[in-house]
Amino acid sequence: MLKHTVTGRYYSRIQVGGKRTMKSLKTRVWSIAKLRHHDKLAQAERQRQKSVRLLEGRGLMGDLLEKHRADYLANTSFSQSAKTGLRNNIDRLRTNWGKCFGSAIDRLTPSQMTEDKVRRFANYLHAEAVFRKHNVPGQRKGYGAVTVNKTIELLHHVLRVGVATGAVGFLPFDLDPAVGGPIRKAERRRKIHLPPSDKMQEVFAQMRVIDYTPPDDRPEFREYLRDRAQESADFAEFLAYSGARQREAAAFVWEDDMRHSVILRGTKSVASADREVPKIAALRDLLQRMRKRREEVGRKLKGKVFTIKQCRQALETACRKVGAERLTHHSLRHFFATLCIESGVDIPTVSRWLGHADGGVLAMQTYGHLRAEHSAAAAAKVRLVARTPRSARGGGGATGPAGPASRPCAVRSNGPT
């Protein structure tokens, strides 16, 4: 245990696996520092024993999960949202395994992760697990197929990494066994239902309407409601015309408003970080209106564009009043992608604007049917028009066994293809 000569704080110097680290004990009191130092030593010893068990092939599931968690969080190539998702998946696995089998998964050996147990656990998650969803009142029963599959795939990945590093002797189960069918649940993609452009404009206009009339003696409150409604509508339009995620729009600053494009500071993946999205006409008009309003009231065009971080309630209320289907922040992102694809932009380009890291695979799965419908509508405009043979028009054409030679049919289009 060491003491900093300037600040007077105590530190523990611990060496584990040949690596020496300094841990602050966050106190200047000797008696408290001594107790915390012993806790740090005990924690280091437990970590050392886990490492020894993994090296000797005697690791428990808790050791494998903790190692995978530490390695994943230490990897700088993963975004914070991905790391948060991993923490949630591990917590869900540990909590529900105990509820399903009555014993903690951390104390089990990898060989106890049999196919029957994992299949039973997947069924439990899908049909019986009780949980609370964020921002939704009450409890829900049964996770969706995507969540169940992420949890099972995490368990399988941890064991597969253990086999590759020698910490686990063999892989105890397969995700797609030959007998009994796949353990993962079938995922059904929901078809995207979006209102047409004119209905979407009605939604944005309704968001700017103030239904509540404050008393005449509170003009500042009336001004606040008007500004809040205006900014909520602007926030929703920005999502719809830029394809930004909710957090990306909330973090958008005036300095990232370029002449012909906007810079979106993405945090979800490396591909979405600091991507440049061209301005479509609607986005250009929106930003010009917002600039003009700021200049009229003397506000500087500097810093964050929006003072709000979401417009969920205003958006849902407007949809209900104009008779449109319920929209979310992500629905507006779908609207941008749909608008681009139906305007003729290829899917890989749209995928790059959206900040997808897979080069268009997800966009093709999500929006591929839009391209097919658009192509079918364009193909329906094509008509075959037979040209009149030259001999019928009085000209002398070459003749043969089949009669006068006729030219191939011409293709006439009633519109762009």
Side-chain angles (χ1 to χ4, degrees):
M1 187 168 62
L2 304 176
K3 181 179 180 181
H4 199 284
T5 56
V6 178
T7 62
R9 290 183 178 273
Y10 288 95
Y11 292 81
S12 290
R13 187 171 67 184
I14 303 172
Q15 183 170 337
V16 178
K19 182 179 179 181
R20 180 179 295 179
T21 59
M22 297 286 289
K23 299 289 185 180
S24 174
L25 299 177
K26 300 179 181 179
T27 183
R28 297 184 179 90
V29 181
W30 162 256
S31 58
I32 298 177
K34 187 176 180 181
L35 294 174
R36 293 180 179 176
H37 177 63
H38 286 296
D39 293 339
K40 293 289 184 182
L41 291 177
Q43 182 181 357
E45 178 60 22
R46 288 194 298 269
Q47 183 179 352
R48 187 191 67 81
Q49 291 178 0
K50 289 181 180 179
S51 301
V52 171
R53 287 199 299 266
L54 290 174
L55 290 174
E56 295 178 352
R58 300 183 294 104
L60 301 176
M61 287 303 302
D63 303 335
L64 294 173
L65 288 172
E66 284 303 314
K67 185 178 186 307
H68 176 65
R69 177 179 177 275
D71 293 343
Y72 195 94
L73 297 182
N75 194 331
T76 57
S77 63
F78 295 123
S79 64
Q80 290 300 321
S81 59
K83 294 177 180 180
T84 301
L86 176 74
R87 293 191 190 98
N88 295 336
N89 289 336
I90 292 178
D91 292 342
R92 186 186 312 112
L93 173 62
R94 283 173 164 161
T95 301
N96 289 282
W97 187 279
K99 293 180 179 179
C100 180
F101 297 103
S103 60
I105 190 174
D106 289 359
R107 300 177 183 178
L108 302 178
T109 61
S111 60
Q112 292 178 289
M113 299 290 104
T114 61
E115 178 187 321
D116 292 338
K117 275 190 175 182
V118 176
R119 189 185 297 278
R120 177 184 169 189
F121 178 62
N123 293 335
Y124 172 83
L125 285 176
H126 196 48
E128 302 179 35
V130 178
F131 65 98
R132 290 183 178 273
K133 194 172 182 179
H134 183 62
N135 287 336
V136 177
Q139 291 183 333
R140 303 188 64 179
K141 187 174 183 180
Y143 288 98
V146 175
T147 303
V148 174
N149 293 342
K150 284 183 179 180
T151 308
I152 300 302
E153 287 167 0
L154 167 66
L155 179 60
H156 188 262
H157 177 75
V158 168
L159 292 170
R160 196 169 66 246
V161 172
V163 172
T165 57
V168 180
F170 63 95
L171 195 60
F173 74 94
D174 189 11
L175 289 175
D176 298 308
V179 180
I183 296 177
R184 287 176 290 198
K185 302 301 178 183
E187 300 179 9
R188 289 181 292 179
R189 290 190 174 274
R190 298 178 181 176
K191 190 173 182 179
I192 301 173
H193 296 282
L194 296 173
S197 298
D198 55 348
K199 180 64 72 171
M200 189 70 80
Q201 294 301 321
E202 292 183 26
V203 172
F204 296 149
Q206 180 62 42
M207 293 180 70
R208 292 182 168 90
V209 175
I210 305 174
D211 294 332
Y212 172 72
T213 303
D216 295 337
D217 58 347
R218 300 188 63 184
E220 71 284 351
F221 187 50
R222 184 185 300 107
E223 188 73 15
Y224 166 78
L225 292 178
R226 191 193 61 165
D227 292 344
R228 187 59 182 257
Q230 181 69 51
E231 189 161 17
S232 296
D234 291 343
F235 190 86
E237 285 195 76
F238 184 82
L239 293 175
Y241 301 151
S242 67
R245 299 180 177 93
Q246 177 188 346
R247 292 184 180 180
E248 294 168 350
F252 183 65
V253 295
W254 285 110
E255 290 80 359
D256 290 336
D257 182 15
M258 305 290 111
R259 183 176 180 181
H260 300 295
S261 62
V262 293
I263 306 297
L264 299 179
R265 309 290 179 179
T267 58
K268 189 175 179 64
S269 65
V270 176
S272 65
D274 301 347
R275 69 185 186 275
E276 186 173 357
V277 180
K279 287 182 182 178
I280 64 175
L283 178 60
R284 189 185 303 275
D285 294 342
L286 170 66
L287 292 175
Q288 287 177 353
R289 295 197 308 268
M290 295 177 65
R291 282 177 175 272
K292 185 177 180 180
R293 286 199 304 269
R294 279 188 171 242
E295 291 172 351
E296 289 176 352
V297 297
R299 295 177 62 184
K300 294 182 179 180
L301 298 175
K302 185 178 180 181
K304 287 191 175 183
V305 176
F306 301 103
T307 60
I308 60 176
K309 295 183 178 180
Q310 57 89 21
C311 60
R312 180 178 60 86
Q313 293 178 342
L315 183 61
E316 291 180 355
T317 302
C319 290
R320 187 173 62 253
K321 290 186 177 180
V322 302
E325 292 191 27
R326 176 180 174 271
L327 295 174
T328 64
H329 294 114
H330 207 73
S331 300
L332 301 176
R333 181 171 158 89
H334 288 316
F335 178 79
F336 171 77
T338 303
L339 190 65
C340 292
I341 292 174
E342 291 182 347
S343 299
V345 183
D346 58 274
I347 288 182
T349 301
V350 175
S351 174
R352 188 166 61 252
W353 292 350
L354 293 175
H356 289 174
D358 55 9
V361 176
L362 178 60
M364 182 64 74
Q365 294 174 347
T366 307
Y367 309 108
H369 68 284
L370 298 176
R371 170 60 74 186
E373 294 171 1
H374 184 65
S375 298
K381 301 176 182 178
V382 178
R383 298 290 185 270
L384 288 176
V385 180
R387 289 184 177 178
T388 306
R390 184 178 298 178
S391 59
R393 298 198 303 264
T399 60
S406 60
R407 295 184 180 180
C409 295
V411 178
R412 176 182 297 174
S413 174
N414 296 333
T417 57

